[in-house]
Amino acid sequence: MRGASARYDFAGRVIAITGAAGDLGRATASRLAGDGAALVLLDLAEEPLRAFARELETDGASHLALSCDVTDGDAVDAAVSAAAERFGRIDGLFNSAGYQGAFAPVDTYPLDDFERVLAVNVTGVFLVLRAVSAHMRSAGGGAIVNAASHAGVRGPPNMIAYAASKFAVVGMTQTAARDLAPHGVRVNAVSPALIGPGVMWERQVRLQAATGTHYFDPEPDAAGRAMIAGVPLGRLGTPDEVAQVVAFLLSDASGYITGFNVEITGGI
Ligand SMILES: NC(=O)c1ccc[n+]([C@@H]2O[C@H](COP(=O)([O-])OP(=O)(O)OC[C@H]3O[C@@H](n4cnc5c(N)ncnc54)[C@H](O)[C@@H]3O)[C@@H](O)[C@H]2O)c1
């Protein structure tokens, strides 16, 4: 049933979210705040982060918003320590900061973009995972969800850096789940595809159409319609449909699930 929505109890829980100013970060933060969580919001984009934090304030949610570049290990460690000091604990993490990169076939893909995608999506996920799990481990437990992608299950055309990075996120999720299981920390991943409306969906349609490759119509609206036609459920997923799964994986309702990658793809 579309629109049905389970709720989980996050009262007294502290959840950190990277990429918190993004579409999936905001949807997840809003949902968790509504379920009683205190939030640590991290993002590189200061102004959108501040604007979103003001919205949460209006709703009375307890939160700490910090500008942080996840590719900078010292900045990540400092932000996570500041959060642990402010709230005394971190119970959950949604590692959502991400960058799609350029869209081009492998033979012309730009190296600088390849390196940037890996820095944000691989090194960034690792640095945050490392800093937060150290706190969780000493506190005796926690739950982590990494944002992977359907591109980390099957590589899409024109996205070699993004595919490499998201396969890496799935691998890091499996290893971290094994490393942290003895310490009561669960680690899972979500792999969405075709979620909209949102920045990534619109950017992907526009830039795939512009690649001139035979997979995509050069006219963006037609390219977008064809992508949606390939989804068995016949529509885009919504950011809240991703947030619901993240909330489940961060909640005690998923207490026996770790090392798993949940595909949220409408059946692709
Ligand atoms: N939206 C989708 O369709 C979709 C599909 C599959 C996977 N994902 C993944 O889900 C995650 C969230 O996606 P989204 O739709 O919210 O994207 P988005 O572009 O709306 O948000 C990403 C956020 O990450 C932040 N960010 C980028 N680089 C950063 C850095 N170095 N340090 C800190 N923050 C940084 C951006 O400022 C932005 O606010 C990403 O990892 C993305 O790859 C999204």
Side-chain angles (χ1 to χ4, degrees), residues 191-265:
S191 280
L194 307 194
I195 305 301
V199 169
M200 284 210 176
W201 164 247
E202 275 127 40
R203 187 173 181 275
Q204 175 182 357
V205 168
R206 184 168 42 84
L207 295 182
Q208 285 287 32
T211 56
T213 55
H214 73 276
Y215 295 105
F216 301 99
D217 193 291
E219 200 280 304
D221 284 346
R225 279 195 302 276
M227 286 187 218
I228 294 169
V231 179
L233 287 181
R235 63 173 177 87
L236 293 177
T238 66
D240 194 54
E241 285 174 316
V242 178
Q244 288 187 45
V245 178
V246 175
F248 167 69
L249 292 171
L250 291 176
S251 77
D252 295 342
S254 60
Y256 199 51
I257 300 177
T258 195
F260 196 61
N261 177 26
V262 182
E263 295 180 36
I264 310 168
T265 66

